[in-house]
Amino acid sequence: MKTFIILLQKEFRESWRSFKFLWMPLLFILLGITDPLTNYYMEDILNAVGNMPDGFSLSLPDFVPIDILMASTGQFQSIGLIVFVITIAGMINRERQNGTATLIYVRPISFFALFMSKWVVGSLLGILSVSLGYAGSMYYTAILYGSVDTMSFIQMVMSYCVWIVFATAVALMFSAIFKTAFATTFTIIVIPFGVMIDSLIGQYWHFSPWKLANYSVQLLSDTHNEYYIKTLLLTIILLILAIIIGILFTRKNAGTTKI
Amino acid sequence: MIDINWALVAPLLVIQFILFIVALIDLIRIHETNGPKWVWAIVIIFLNTIGPICYFIFGRKTS
Amino acid sequence: MIRIEHLTKVFGGEKVVDDLSFVLEAGTSTALIGPNGAGKTTTLSMLTGLLKPTNGSIRMNDTQDIRKEIGFLPQYPNFYPWLTALEFTEMTGKLNGVPSRDAKKQAERVLDFVGLTNDRSKKTSTFSGGMKQRLGIAQAIVHKPKLLILDEPVSALDPVGRREVINLLKQLQQHSTILYSTHILNDAEEMTDQLLFLKKGQLVEQGSLKDIRTKFDSFRYKIQFTSKEEASLFATQSQLPTTVEESYAFIEIKDGFPTMQELMSQLIVLPFSILKVERVTMTLEEIFMKVVGQ
């Protein structure tokens, strides 16, 4: 427990000093406020940049708040998620490759504490970023399009955070198993590409972790989704599995640290 | 001209500015980067938002 | 006391370390000597717990987790560039169980010992090679380990840095058990109680410097003539195995033969002048070449 706290402190210090806790939330806030703003000004933008033929009239759909939040979620799920998992997928293997891990691994630490310290800091970074991102999106949506039920909104954000925490665990697991280049590739395939693949061919099944984000946004609507709870539970089970595998591989690959 | 409500757009510009300034200050103070420093300076200055974030992800040396 | 028995490491079917057994007595210094690729770093890595031995055991009295009792300095220590020397040393101390309230003081003390007091608040990214090596020593001793393991502690340093580090190690030698690897034999000669000669993963010789000397050191006589011709002429006439280098002739003594008297009686009848006769002992390097060359 004591080594966990020391390692946690170390991870926080690193993330703080490398400005991760500044730029990652700012990136998500930017992503979050982009959609409400651009959709709102879409007509003006099109008129200003495109040389519309005379008599051409553009009819944009009338957006409701849930559409905008769905669009923001789409931003998080693509650009935001890619940037986030790239950052996480280097947390364990990079230390082994540059040799900084050596002076930690030779001390009486448990690899459980080591992995969990990184997972906790990575998860908090993700939770902070998406919460602020959604807050930004919601703020603009509320001003420009109208509001949604507060409790449902909070529920949605928390539900999305489960997905981010899951993504953190998977990225860290790959980080423990492979070197940086492979870990990053696999993580990007499994997480952001996984989301895309699931949205393309996912109509054949009803619950998978990659659907959790969309199901979370649906919490805002009145329709009841019978698959939501199962999806949530499955995500949590896979999350725990990723952590266990990650810890085992952190220990197994400890000897690969550069000496 | 588009009639823009600047109160709405201002936060966007402020965030971009913070990213730009923090990346630039860090670049000046950091001991070493992956690749030449001046390249990162160009990236940060000329690529809005993406530049500073690319710098934070790929530019900072971790060992 | 640390007892290593039948330590073996196999990488991809190849025995990198092959059945090593030796004992490190408390308070002694042991040098692990061998050419590059002899398995020195692999051996040390197993002792630090970084690598799991394929076979064999490492036991330290009744300690369960040997990592608690070890301080390790890799050949090229790598530090987190975003931490200061003091922060890093304090953190590593805490990870080794130094109580939080003492950790900072203890870190300051060891940084003072290695001469980094003035640089302790600087980020390690600004450190030179010598400073990193000294910080490496500080983090290795911050928790007062029973065994200090050093991988090529001075090989990468310039002469000044090397002298500084050797002096630090000599001070540490007085109250800790040290195991270090090196391929620079002068260092070993300066601070060693026990030598372990490693070749292709095998322990080919072990013992104190004195024991190994007596075992391998053949005494040689070095006779200086005025010219190379005279030296060569002597070599052709000599009934003893003689080699010539410039104006020197070398005669090796094996099994106490020839004795000094016999040699003198040969020299005394020579028709040319002899400038110098001296007995030369082998350097550790030569002994090493002899042991490893077997």
Side-chain angles (χ1 to χ4, degrees):
Chain A
M1 191 60 198
K2 213 187 135 211
T3 60
F4 171 70
I5 290 169
I6 300 161
L7 291 171
L8 193 65
Q9 195 186 13
K10 176 219 149 211
E11 292 300 329
F12 267 121
R13 221 175 215 166
E14 164 158 35
S15 297
W16 183 250
R17 291 192 182 169
S18 58
F19 303 101
K20 276 183 203 140
F21 274 95
L22 180 79
W23 65 262
M24 193 74 80
L26 287 182
L27 171 69
F28 274 82
I29 293 171
L30 273 180
L31 293 174
I33 64 182
T34 304
D35 273 272
L37 268 182
T38 47
N39 282 320
Y40 190 74
Y41 286 114
M42 188 57 82
E43 215 163 333
D44 296 328
I45 293 169
L46 288 177
N47 285 334
V49 295
N51 298 319
M52 295 295 170
D54 284 340
F56 179 87
S57 84
L58 188 74
S59 64
L60 288 166
D62 285 331
F63 290 119
V64 292
I66 188 169
D67 297 328
I68 303 299
L69 287 169
M70 191 58 110
S72 291
T73 306
Q75 296 279 3
F76 297 167
Q77 289 289 78
S78 49
I79 303 169
L81 207 51
I82 289 174
V83 171
F84 179 71
V85 296
I86 286 177
T87 311
I88 304 295
M91 280 178 95
I92 294 174
N93 45 23
R94 192 161 292 139
E95 288 192 354
R96 291 198 297 244
Q97 281 159 247
N98 64 30
T100 48
T102 306
L103 295 180
I104 302 295
Y105 291 0
V106 294
R107 302 192 135 76
I109 55 154
S110 77
F111 289 100
F112 175 80
L114 185 92
F115 187 92
M116 292 310 271
S117 69
K118 289 177 188 291
W119 178 68
V120 167
V121 173
S123 297
L124 285 177
L125 178 65
I127 289 170
L128 181 77
S129 301
V130 297
S131 300
L132 289 175
Y134 270 126
S137 176
M138 190 68 246
Y139 180 73
Y140 275 83
T141 306
I143 291 174
L144 302 173
Y145 297 92
S147 195
V148 297
D149 176 48
T150 312
M151 277 319 290
S152 305
F153 176 73
I154 291 172
Q155 222 180 334
M156 175 200 77
V157 174
M158 285 171 65
S159 180
Y160 187 83
C161 284
V162 173
W163 159 251
I164 278 292
V165 166
F166 166 77
T168 310
V170 171
L172 271 183
M173 176 188 79
F174 282 127
S175 189
I177 301 175
F178 303 109
K179 290 190 171 188
T180 311
F182 282 114
T184 309
T185 312
F186 281 122
T187 310
I188 289 176
I189 290 171
V190 171
I191 302 293
F193 281 18
V195 170
M196 260 187 262
I197 292 162
D198 194 284
S199 71
L200 285 175
I201 54 166
Q203 67 267 34
Y204 299 110
W205 55 87
H206 296 293
F207 47 93
S208 80
W210 295 275
K211 292 190 195 302
L212 186 61
N214 283 343
Y215 286 0
S216 301
V217 184
Q218 283 172 19
L219 292 171
L220 294 174
S221 66
D222 296 328
T223 52
H224 174 73
N225 183 344
E226 56 176 316
Y227 303 112
Y228 172 68
I229 294 294
K230 277 183 187 166
T231 295
L232 188 67
L233 283 177
L234 179 68
T235 307
I236 292 170
I237 290 167
L238 290 177
L239 155 77
I240 294 167
L241 201 67
I243 289 177
I244 292 170
I245 295 171
I247 293 168
L248 291 177
F249 272 93
T250 309
R251 176 181 301 139
K252 184 171 175 287
N253 289 340
T256 63
T257 179
K258 194 180 105 195
I259 300 168
Chain B
M1 266 309 286
I2 308 171
D3 178 25
I4 286 177
N5 181 347
W6 286 103
L8 280 177
V9 184
L12 206 69
L13 303 177
V14 169
I15 289 171
Q16 289 179 341
F17 186 68
I18 295 173
L19 280 174
F20 169 73
I21 286 293
V22 174
L24 212 56
I25 291 174
D26 186 56
L27 181 72
I28 292 165
R29 291 178 42 170
I30 201 164
H31 192 61
E32 220 183 328
T33 51
N34 292 322
K37 266 196 180 193
W38 61 270
V39 172
W40 285 113
I42 290 171
V43 169
I44 292 168
I45 293 167
F46 291 104
L47 291 178
N48 191 6
T49 315
I50 300 164
I53 284 175
C54 280
Y55 166 71
F56 283 125
I57 299 174
F58 303 109
R60 304 187 91 256
K61 230 183 163 68
T62 46
S63 68
Chain C
M1 187 180 85
I2 295 107
R3 186 179 289 280
I4 286 94
E5 279 173 337
H6 306 299
L7 197 65
T8 304
K9 182 75 193 177
V10 179
F11 276 132
E14 196 189 341
K15 279 186 179 170
V16 181
V17 172
D18 189 0
D19 200 26
L20 296 194
S21 297
F22 55 90
V23 170
L24 304 174
E25 295 288 353
T28 62
S29 296
T30 302
L32 196 58
I33 299 173
N36 289 334
K40 299 188 298 277
T41 299
T42 310
T43 305
L44 298 186
S45 300
M46 285 191 279
L47 286 169
T48 57
L50 279 175
L51 282 181
K52 236 175 105 80
T54 311
N55 220 331
S57 66
I58 301 155
R59 266 174 302 172
M60 180 189 267
N61 296 336
D62 40 40
T63 311
Q64 287 296 317
D65 190 349
I66 198 168
R67 294 183 301 177
K68 281 181 190 158
E69 312 294 348
I70 281 177
F72 177 54
L73 172 67
Q75 185 174 1
Y76 304 102
N78 290 292
F79 304 99
Y80 298 109
W82 39 272
L83 280 180
T84 68
L86 182 60
E87 285 166 345
F88 183 76
T89 316
E90 189 185 343
M91 176 184 80
T92 50
K94 281 187 197 165
L95 284 175
N96 263 98
V98 177
S100 301
R101 60 180 183 283
D102 305 332
K104 195 172 178 191
K105 275 229 166 66
Q106 182 59 21
E108 284 171 356
R109 207 174 298 143
V110 292
L111 287 172
D112 191 42
F113 171 73
V114 299
L116 286 175
T117 307
N118 294 328
D119 301 302
R120 68 186 187 196
S121 301
K122 285 187 191 153
K123 296 258 167 73
T124 57
S125 52
T126 64
F127 276 25
S128 68
M131 287 161 83
K132 281 186 179 166
Q133 208 69 4
R134 282 185 278 157
L135 176 58
I137 293 175
Q139 63 79 31
I141 60 174
V142 65
H143 52 293
K144 299 175 183 155
K146 286 191 182 136
L147 172 63
L148 200 52
I149 298 177
L150 314 160
D151 192 6
E152 301 272 359
V154 296
S155 313
L157 299 176
D158 61 38
V160 178
R162 171 175 290 162
R163 185 88 318 238
E164 283 173 1
V165 169
I166 288 178
N167 288 339
L168 287 175
L169 295 180
K170 277 183 167 172
Q171 288 181 58
L172 289 170
Q173 205 179 12
Q174 287 158 17
H175 33 75
S176 36
T177 313
I178 298 182
L179 171 66
Y180 67 98
S181 70
T182 186
H183 65 263
I184 298 172
L185 293 140
N186 289 341
D187 304 341
E189 228 158 346
E190 250 185 275
M191 37 174 214
T192 304
D193 300 304
Q194 186 185 208
L195 292 165
L196 303 170
F197 282 67
L198 217 55
K199 183 193 171 188
K200 290 180 185 158
Q202 285 174 330
L203 198 57
V204 285
E205 197 57 53
Q206 64 175 313
S208 69
L209 189 57
K210 197 167 153 254
D211 290 346
I212 290 188
R213 264 203 197 292
T214 0
K215 187 166 172 190
F216 287 95
D217 199 357
S218 60
F219 291 104
R220 287 187 303 170
Y221 288 103
K222 181 178 171 189
I223 305 147
Q224 191 183 5
F225 296 92
T226 49
S227 70
K228 194 176 174 182
E229 287 70 37
E230 289 181 3
S232 313
L233 197 60
F234 167 71
T236 52
Q237 291 175 1
S238 169
Q239 284 136 37
L240 303 164
T242 310
T243 54
V244 176
E245 253 176 58
E246 297 298 312
S247 58
Y248 299 98
F250 291 91
I251 295 176
E252 195 159 321
I253 294 186
K254 276 179 185 151
D255 308 320
F257 180 83
T259 61
M260 189 73 154
Q261 281 84 344
E262 284 168 312
L263 181 66
M264 284 302 177
S265 66
Q266 280 205 19
L267 294 177
I268 220 157
V269 298
L270 288 176
F272 31 76
S273 55
I274 292 162
L275 298 181
K276 202 156 117 196
V277 179
E278 69 178 313
R279 213 174 81 171
V280 282
T281 56
M282 285 171 95
T283 63
L284 189 53
E285 187 133 1
E286 287 165 317
I287 296 179
F288 170 71
M289 288 315 290
K290 205 166 164 183
V291 173
V292 167
Q294 277 175 346

